[in-house]
Amino acid sequence: MKPSVFFYNLGQGFKGVARNSVMSTASILVLIACMILVGTFFVVIDTIDRNFNAIDDLNVIEVMMDKDYSESQIIEIGEKLSSICNDSPIIDWSSDQWTDDIVIPKHENFKYVSPDEHFELFKDKYQNQPWLDAFTDEHEGDHDEGTHAGITSSMQDNPLRGSFRITFINLSNFDEVVKVRNRIDSITVTDANGTEHDAIATEDIKDYAELYENVMSIKNALYVAGLWLMVIFLIISLFVIMNTIKLGVFARRNEITFMRLCGATKSFIRMPFIVEGVIIGTISAAISFGIEFYLYEYLLKGIVQSATGTSGVAAITAGDFWSDYAILVGIGFLAIGLFAGIVSSSISLKKYLKA
Amino acid sequence: MIKFENVSMEYSNGTAALNNVSLQINDGEFVFIVGHSGAGKTTLTKLLICEERVSSGRLEVNGFRLDKIRSWKISKLRRTMGVVFQDFKLFEKMTVYENVAFAMRVVGAKPSLIKKRVPFFLDIVGLGHKSDSFPSELSGGEKQRVAFARALVNNPDTIIADEPTGNVDVDLTEGIMELLVKINKLGKTVLVVTHDMNIIEQYKKRVIRIEGGSIVSDQIGGEIAE
């Protein structure tokens, strides 16, 4: 394309936008609404993702042991659990880390936490709480310091129970976690009479499978809703831009007829209107980008900070969505804008460009 | 050269507009096309500028075979022709200069060429001094002249004038016809679609009469053309 033709078409495109200023503004507003909606949905989905992944112990299944279980019963359960874990592709289970002299396998992804250790963890977690002193004074009297009485509690009054902690290395396939969990549910243990019965009650298996599934279903619902809203708003945007450009085409129909009969090519006739669509799309993308940045940087982060401040728990985090995705958001918005502009202007002109 | 060989044209609603038309117009000729309303004059000119397609037969215009032309070549064909419309089709918001320049701009002419050619053709039609005027400030005859300058500015081989004297006073008719003769003398083929029998008799040029979609006579100054 010759520079003179390019600049002529560019100028005509800007004139078209200015000539139809009211409709152009309407098109820009609808397109902005579409982009903001899409952008916000994806920010929310990303925030859910980030926060879910940040939950402590998300990748841990904790199997609580009954207080009445003997050491041999716990060992029996531990062996069955380790066998299940050994079959799972999502537990890093290197056999060379097993040691023969320890009955219960000790492994960073599979370990037994005794009631004493639970108590220590409990104390660590609530060490600044004033009520802890009274509690520990009451219970530590029976604690035989410096020794660990095997895998059962050394404190007779310790109300906590021992547990097996299974850590998954890969959470991308949460279905596999659910499979492991269901197999754990069916483990049996042999009692003093030599009969087997269910070892672990369902409520004694603590994991995040249910939470994970709930959050995932919310996330998926948001994702689907976001996509549908994007499609609907995009169609509405296309109609509004099409009407805007159709008004311009109608106002210039004599020019277009004359251009055709003079020997102007279809692309030459089409170009100013496509430029008009592109201008509308680009302006919408730029404004949407600014608004989305503001919404994210000030509104979402503000909400997160105030939520964190009032609860005292770092429940949710805004993450670094913007720094990670700013370019992607910009390109995405521009693509939506250009798509809407080019498609709608091409459709609007079709009728006037017959041979 | 324009050559119709057994050309027929039927609209999509089934109306037969031209029936088996054969004729040849050589380069540099001046031809009147006459006939009553609905005779097929407009269809014939629409075929020439490829606004309609032939249904059957062979049609050749300025080296293009219009019975089998591809759509991307139509713009090239149209650049070989200048059309003057009965209602002038001038743009009211453009000056005389801009109206003529627009015809060049839409075919991608360079601005420097536009600056040279537009004043030249405005001088040819005698409107060099009105280049900054708007169409609303011009008389009917002057508007017609602007339309001629616009048709000529891209240096076409053929000029088609649709009822060029239809919208002007009798006094101006002669001036317009003289302009057409002047254009013809520049070497352009001129086709004038008209039903004004006075100018046909006065100018003694080739006259093709169409009735009911068929050519009923083809005469030069009253004699049958070969």
Side-chain angles (χ1 to χ4, degrees):
Chain A
M1 190 187 287
K2 293 177 194 168
S4 59
V5 173
F6 173 78
F7 287 113
Y8 172 76
N9 285 326
L10 197 65
Q12 290 299 310
F14 276 103
K15 274 185 191 170
V17 173
R19 194 185 293 141
N20 250 335
S21 55
V22 174
M23 281 302 286
S24 298
T25 309
S27 305
I28 289 169
L29 290 176
V30 174
L31 209 48
I32 287 173
C34 169
M35 293 184 196
I36 294 292
L37 203 74
V38 173
T40 305
F41 263 94
F42 286 102
V43 166
V44 170
I45 288 168
D46 181 77
T47 306
I48 289 173
D49 261 349
R50 285 168 191 271
N51 284 288
F52 197 72
N53 290 335
I55 294 174
D56 288 340
D57 295 342
L58 179 67
N59 56 340
V60 170
I61 289 183
E62 185 141 29
V63 184
M64 304 304 295
M65 293 295 99
D66 198 297
K67 241 181 153 12
D68 299 333
Y69 282 157
S70 65
E71 190 170 320
S72 63
Q73 283 177 314
I74 291 172
I75 289 169
E76 183 186 346
I77 292 168
E79 282 170 348
K80 286 177 179 172
L81 278 174
S82 66
S83 163
I84 290 170
C85 296
N86 207 6
D87 292 343
S88 174
I90 57 166
I91 299 171
D92 183 13
W93 200 260
S94 311
S95 57
D96 58 357
Q97 291 191 39
W98 290 71
T99 46
D100 294 335
D101 57 329
I102 299 171
V103 182
I104 299 296
K106 286 196 184 296
H107 185 271
E108 63 175 315
N109 295 326
F110 182 88
K111 65 179 178 183
Y112 178 75
V113 183
S114 70
D116 280 1
E117 285 170 302
H118 271 301
F119 191 69
E120 290 305 317
L121 290 170
F122 176 80
K123 281 200 299 184
D124 286 345
K125 192 170 180 180
Y126 298 104
Q127 59 185 324
N128 297 324
Q129 302 297 327
W131 48 263
L132 185 67
D133 292 337
F135 184 83
T136 49
D137 289 346
E138 190 182 321
H139 291 85
E140 280 192 319
D142 302 324
H143 188 206
D144 184 9
E145 280 194 39
T147 61
H148 283 277
I151 57 175
T152 51
S153 174
S154 61
M155 292 186 302
Q156 290 183 357
D157 291 341
N158 183 357
L160 303 175
R161 293 186 284 164
S163 69
F164 285 97
R165 286 174 69 88
I166 304 163
T167 308
F168 297 87
I169 52 157
N170 179 6
L171 267 181
S172 61
N173 184 1
F174 211 87
D175 289 345
E176 193 62 37
V177 178
V178 175
K179 266 189 207 166
V180 171
R181 185 193 191 286
N182 292 340
R183 288 184 67 189
I184 292 169
D185 214 11
S186 60
I187 285 179
T188 56
V189 68
T190 314
D191 63 16
N193 303 324
T195 54
E196 289 196 354
H197 57 84
D198 286 344
I200 298 147
T202 307
E203 61 270 22
D204 285 340
I205 305 172
K206 293 176 180 172
D207 64 16
Y208 289 93
E210 199 177 338
L211 173 67
Y212 182 86
E213 279 169 0
N214 288 340
V215 173
M216 284 304 122
S217 64
I218 291 168
K219 192 185 115 179
N220 290 338
L222 280 173
Y223 191 77
V224 172
L227 279 181
W228 273 108
L229 279 171
M230 183 182 85
V231 169
I232 291 166
F233 265 73
L234 205 57
I235 291 170
I236 294 170
S237 310
L238 285 178
F239 273 108
V240 176
I241 299 173
M242 249 161 61
N243 276 326
T244 305
I245 291 172
K246 266 186 184 170
L247 283 176
V249 170
F250 186 76
R252 295 180 64 192
R253 63 193 183 285
N254 291 336
E255 263 178 64
I256 292 169
T257 305
F258 179 77
M259 286 161 93
R260 278 198 308 115
L261 297 178
C262 262
T265 57
K266 282 184 183 178
S267 57
F268 184 91
I269 298 170
R270 199 181 278 134
M271 199 53 73
F273 298 102
I274 289 180
V275 169
E276 196 176 326
V278 167
I279 292 167
I280 289 172
T282 310
I283 292 173
S284 310
I287 296 173
S288 305
F289 190 83
I291 294 174
E292 194 67 50
F293 177 77
Y294 175 82
L295 284 176
Y296 177 77
E297 206 58 32
Y298 299 98
L299 211 62
L300 181 70
K301 280 193 171 175
I303 290 169
V304 167
Q305 275 166 11
S306 64
T308 305
T310 51
S311 68
V313 181
I316 52 172
T317 167
D320 290 321
F321 175 84
W322 201 254
S323 55
D324 288 352
Y325 294 116
I327 295 171
L328 198 68
V329 170
I331 292 171
F333 282 177
L334 198 60
I336 293 173
L338 294 185
F339 172 79
I342 292 170
V343 168
S344 51
S345 53
S346 300
I347 294 171
S348 309
L349 269 170
K350 217 173 173 184
K351 182 181 160 190
Y352 293 90
L353 285 180
K354 283 180 195 163
Chain B
M1 190 179 69
I2 296 167
K3 196 173 180 181
F4 285 71
E5 279 181 25
N6 304 315
V7 170
S8 294
M9 194 270 161
E10 195 176 279
Y11 285 102
S12 53
N13 61 7
T15 310
L18 287 182
N19 302 313
N20 215 26
V21 170
S22 293
L23 69 93
Q24 182 170 327
I25 298 167
N26 294 321
D27 291 341
E29 268 197 272
F30 191 118
V31 178
F32 287 113
I33 296 169
V34 297
H36 293 111
S37 290
K41 305 186 301 286
T42 306
T43 303
L44 191 134
T45 51
K46 279 185 173 177
L47 286 180
L48 291 175
I49 56 175
C50 223
E51 270 213 281
E52 297 291 347
R53 299 294 194 103
V54 297
S55 303
S56 65
R58 186 179 191 276
L59 175 57
E60 189 180 334
V61 178
N62 298 336
F64 292 89
R65 280 284 300 274
L66 303 198
D67 49 308
K68 42 171 79 168
I69 192 167
R70 288 176 184 267
S71 61
W72 62 271
K73 271 193 170 179
I74 292 173
S75 61
K76 288 181 189 259
L77 161 83
R78 287 174 178 161
R79 288 178 195 195
T80 68
M81 284 186 282
V83 183
V84 180
F85 302 95
Q86 187 178 1
D87 59 353
F88 316 134
K89 291 201 191 303
L90 297 183
F91 304 119
E92 295 296 323
K93 287 180 181 173
M94 293 183 193
T95 63
V96 166
Y97 179 95
E98 287 165 346
N99 263 285
V100 179
F102 184 69
M104 288 188 78
R105 191 167 282 139
V106 299
V107 295
K110 283 182 182 172
S112 56
L113 191 65
I114 294 172
K115 276 182 192 166
K116 263 189 208 170
R117 289 175 71 97
V118 174
F120 175 76
F121 280 97
L122 282 176
D123 282 341
I124 284 185
V125 298
L127 285 175
H129 62 292
K130 295 253 180 174
S131 64
D132 292 331
S133 302
F134 286 91
S136 57
E137 297 162 3
L138 303 178
S139 68
E142 285 171 331
K143 285 180 185 173
Q144 188 69 284
R145 284 168 183 273
V146 177
F148 276 113
R150 201 170 56 173
L152 281 169
V153 77
N154 285 323
N155 199 22
D157 301 322
T158 307
I159 296 286
I160 300 171
D162 185 13
E163 300 282 4
T165 57
N167 275 346
V168 294
D169 298 337
V170 179
D171 299 343
L172 295 170
T173 300
E174 198 172 322
I176 288 166
M177 286 312 298
E178 276 172 12
L179 182 60
L180 280 166
V181 171
K182 193 174 169 184
I183 291 167
N184 183 231
K185 282 181 181 165
L186 291 171
K188 314 289 180 196
T189 307
V190 175
L191 266 66
V192 179
V193 178
T194 186
H195 59 261
D196 187 341
M197 297 312 289
N198 292 330
I199 59 168
I200 293 166
E201 284 169 14
Q202 191 182 340
Y203 284 90
K204 306 289 181 194
K205 300 285 184 185
R206 182 177 171 189
V207 181
I208 297 170
R209 184 181 299 279
I210 301 176
E211 292 300 340
S214 301
I215 294 176
V216 292
S217 70
D218 187 350
Q219 298 173 312
I220 299 173
E223 294 173 10
I224 304 288
E226 288 185 15

